Amino acid sequence: MQHEHLLRELVFPDRYEQLVRHLGEQVVRILVPPASATTDALEEAAYSVKYSDSGLLCPLYAPSGTGKTTLASNVSTFHRELFGSTLTYDGALTTAALRAAVNDHNRDNNPANDERVIPVNIDSREAAPADAREMADIKRFLRDDIGRRVMMFWPTTDENIAKSMAGAYSAIAGTAPIELPLTVEGPARSTWVEIARNTVTLANNVDSIELLANPADYDPAEYTSIGEFLRAVARDFLRRRMDLLRSTKKPLQLTVLFASESSEPGVLSQLTSSARFGLLDASALVHVTSNSELGRWWSQRRGLLTQAIVQLDAHAFVIPPALFVPILRMHGQEDLIKDLIALGTSRKSPAELQDISSRSDIGRHLLGERRSSYETRGNPGENSRIAFGLLVESGYIRNGRDKQLNKSLAVGLHSSLETVREKFDVKAEKKIEFAPIIPDVSFENERLVHCVEFAWRAGDFLRPANRSDAATYILNKLRNYARSMEWTTD
């Protein structure tokens, strides 16, 4: 159990550089065009560069948080037919260095026959304008064979620097095709709430995560720029995250394991996140139970449901017979072992059992592995499936006898995870120290408490016909935990 609790992983990027680190190429999914005056000026400048013998130095001015870096880095998103991909440049402003960098960038990012304008973003000189020598080299480069296809952006929050650079460049290169400096107007205020919502959702890959700090609760008119707006929402989001972490003595995790003849995740793939392996999906759970009392109860408390999933780092997995039958064969009560022997079930060695466990969904989850999706299971363990079916007929999962199965699995999962460097205690049917919760199994160390709840079911339970039943079981567990933790009084 070495991965961090989900709450410690949540982020709200409020600057473009942070967005790129968290989203990579997905950043284009939240980009909104700047004001039409800005995009129109860029279009005019691009056509001028494309049909003339000279590139253009284009100082960009706007207050902090308006979106200068975002615009310069993604201008091709707004004018794909005119601009290629942006080169972010922080090297020496010499003709040779600029030529080499643009050649390398163009070779690696644009087709050989690409005739679009090449954007270059000078992103490290916001408060340090080019001196006379650098300006001369920039002019020389922009009239070079490759430089004549370049539009060089120079973002700054200092209007005087922007004007002085525009004047200095015009003095040695002639009148620019557009009015310089270019004053950047960011996205319309009407788009800010949706941008914030998309930012936090994409950055965390968690359904309805924006409910921890809902951007719709903030009035864009109260902020001077989209950057200031995003920082306000991000500040409250992160404060809420820390409040949730501090609300329990230790971070608490919940995993629901479905134990039946099913070897594949089946309907769980429809009830969990498509981006965070096994993490419960609030919208899906409510949708498939909308006609039930439980579904209606949660649909009126969507914020609480999101909180519960996030605060519990709540996941659901299948634990296949190929894993739990060998564990029961080794660690089960005496009569169960005898029955398994009579069914011809062989005993695995500790090394074999450890290998089976480490390759299972729950084993990989307990070992701290974060994945984005379910994977093909491989060998379904037909003999184990048949053995479990016969044990069901013998009543081992009825009338409270499943509690003994839970204890056996607690021992087996613990012993099969002995490679974990962190030491942790495992308990079955025992109250956790700081809350009135008695999970089927709990794994605890100095950092967290991981509760595991087993849903023992007959047959191939995770088939489509049981989707609502599976969701109901999960939502009921979440409500019980929320009530026990006093996150709700009803």
Side-chain angles (χ1 to χ4, degrees):
M1 292 183 289
Q2 297 173 330
H3 61 67
E4 290 288 354
H5 191 282
L6 176 60
L7 277 170
R8 297 190 186 279
E9 296 182 0
L10 296 181
V11 294
F12 195 131
D14 58 9
R15 297 191 66 85
Y16 177 74
E17 294 81 1
Q18 294 174 317
L19 277 174
V20 172
R21 281 199 298 273
H22 288 287
L23 299 183
E25 294 181 356
Q26 286 196 86
V27 72
V28 298
R29 294 175 58 183
I30 64 170
L31 296 181
V32 175
S36 58
T38 301
T39 56
D40 288 349
L42 287 172
E43 184 179 29
E44 293 172 16
Y47 275 115
S48 173
V49 169
K50 191 171 182 179
Y51 297 112
S52 71
D53 291 329
S54 177
L56 177 67
L57 174 63
C58 183
L60 299 177
Y61 162 72
S64 177
T66 305
K68 301 180 299 298
T69 300
T70 304
L71 175 63
S73 301
N74 297 278
V75 64
S76 64
T77 301
F78 310 122
H79 286 300
R80 187 170 300 278
E81 75 285 1
L82 294 175
F83 291 96
S85 64
T86 296
L87 164 64
T88 299
Y89 184 77
D90 61 0
L93 293 177
T94 65
T95 302
L98 287 166
R99 183 189 300 120
V102 172
N103 268 319
D104 290 345
H105 172 79
N106 205 37
R107 182 187 64 244
D108 296 339
N109 294 276
N110 298 314
N113 61 349
D114 194 342
E115 296 184 354
R116 293 177 298 173
V117 174
I118 305 167
V120 175
N121 181 26
I122 309 299
D123 196 38
S124 58
R125 297 282 298 270
E126 183 171 303
D131 58 30
R133 183 172 180 176
E134 289 175 325
M135 192 66 75
D137 269 276
I138 290 172
K139 172 195 169 184
R140 191 176 303 115
F141 165 69
L142 292 175
R143 293 185 176 179
D144 185 83
D145 283 344
I146 191 168
R148 68 183 59 186
R149 292 175 50 203
V150 167
M151 187 180 298
M152 183 180 293
F153 296 110
W154 195 296
T156 179
T157 57
D158 190 318
E159 189 173 10
N160 291 328
I161 288 178
K163 288 181 176 179
S164 68
M165 286 195 60
Y169 182 73
S170 296
I172 64 172
T175 304
I178 61 172
E179 184 178 349
L180 294 179
L182 177 59
T183 300
V184 175
E185 298 179 41
R189 276 183 166 77
S190 60
T191 66
W192 291 4
V193 169
E194 189 63 21
I195 290 173
R197 182 179 291 115
N198 290 339
T199 296
V200 69
T201 300
L202 281 173
N204 295 288
N205 287 320
V206 178
D207 176 68
S208 302
I209 194 67
E210 76 276 5
L211 295 179
L212 292 185
N214 192 351
D217 294 338
Y218 299 76
D219 183 2
E222 297 179 2
Y223 303 91
T224 60
S225 69
I226 185 172
E228 184 182 344
F229 174 78
L230 289 174
R231 283 190 286 275
V233 182
R235 181 174 58 249
D236 292 344
F237 177 89
L238 297 177
R239 183 182 298 120
R240 174 64 170 156
R241 186 195 73 168
M242 292 309 301
D243 288 344
L244 292 177
L245 269 173
R246 292 166 179 158
S247 66
T248 57
K249 183 177 179 181
K250 291 182 181 180
L252 191 63
Q253 292 180 307
L254 169 65
T255 296
V256 177
L257 288 182
F258 287 88
S260 70
E261 293 182 20
S262 300
S263 295
E264 300 288 337
V267 297
L268 293 184
S269 61
Q270 301 170 31
L271 303 177
T272 56
S273 169
S274 60
R276 283 183 177 266
F277 170 62
L279 184 70
L280 296 177
D281 184 323
S283 295
L285 290 166
V286 170
H287 175 72
V288 302
T289 58
S290 58
N291 294 325
S292 69
E293 178 276 331
L294 192 61
R296 289 191 294 272
W297 191 90
W298 275 117
S299 67
Q300 297 168 10
R301 298 165 177 80
R302 288 298 304 277
L304 176 63
L305 181 55
T306 295
Q307 175 193 334
I309 290 173
V310 170
Q311 194 160 2
L312 293 170
D313 196 0
H315 288 65
F317 301 107
V318 57
I319 180 167
L323 173 59
F324 67 72
V325 168
I327 290 178
L328 296 177
R329 173 66 175 80
M330 180 179 290
H331 300 287
Q333 66 267 37
E334 186 176 348
D335 59 340
L336 174 59
I337 292 176
K338 287 180 179 179
D339 286 343
L340 288 173
I341 292 173
L343 292 171
T345 304
S346 61
R347 187 179 189 274
K348 303 291 185 182
S349 69
E352 289 175 318
L353 192 55
Q354 187 178 70
D355 182 61
I356 295 171
S357 177
S358 65
R359 288 188 286 107
S360 69
D361 290 339
I362 180 58
R364 296 169 80 169
H365 183 60
L366 290 175
L367 286 168
E369 183 175 340
R370 293 293 199 192
R371 287 183 285 160
S372 62
S373 63
Y374 291 97
E375 299 175 3
T376 302
R377 297 276 73 80
N379 186 345
E382 184 66 13
N383 291 338
S384 294
R385 186 188 66 80
I386 294 172
F388 176 65
L390 294 173
L391 293 181
V392 170
E393 294 179 10
S394 300
Y396 280 98
I397 68 171
R398 296 195 301 270
N399 302 321
R401 296 180 71 187
D402 59 331
K403 294 183 182 298
Q404 185 58 51
L405 301 183
N406 296 339
K407 292 179 181 179
S408 299
L409 287 185
V411 175
L413 288 173
H414 185 219
S415 64
S416 67
L417 296 175
E418 290 178 347
T419 57
V420 179
R421 292 181 181 177
E422 290 183 275
K423 299 296 183 182
F424 55 89
D425 296 324
V426 60
K427 299 176 183 177
E429 306 292 341
K430 298 290 186 181
K431 177 183 172 297
I432 65 174
E433 178 185 353
F434 55 85
I437 294 174
I438 304 176
D440 291 338
V441 173
S442 65
F443 297 90
E444 181 174 0
N445 61 20
E446 67 279 359
R447 292 194 307 113
L448 57 83
V449 179
H450 193 147
C451 300
V452 179
E453 302 285 355
F454 289 94
W456 292 95
R457 296 292 186 271
D460 182 10
F461 181 72
L462 295 179
R463 62 186 189 277
N466 293 325
R467 183 176 62 167
S468 178
D469 289 344
T472 297
Y473 181 87
I474 292 169
L475 287 176
N476 191 53
K477 285 295 180 184
L478 289 173
R479 184 163 67 177
N480 291 342
Y481 272 69
R483 286 171 169 171
S484 296
M485 296 300 294
E486 297 183 348
W487 297 335
T488 182
T489 57
D490 55 1

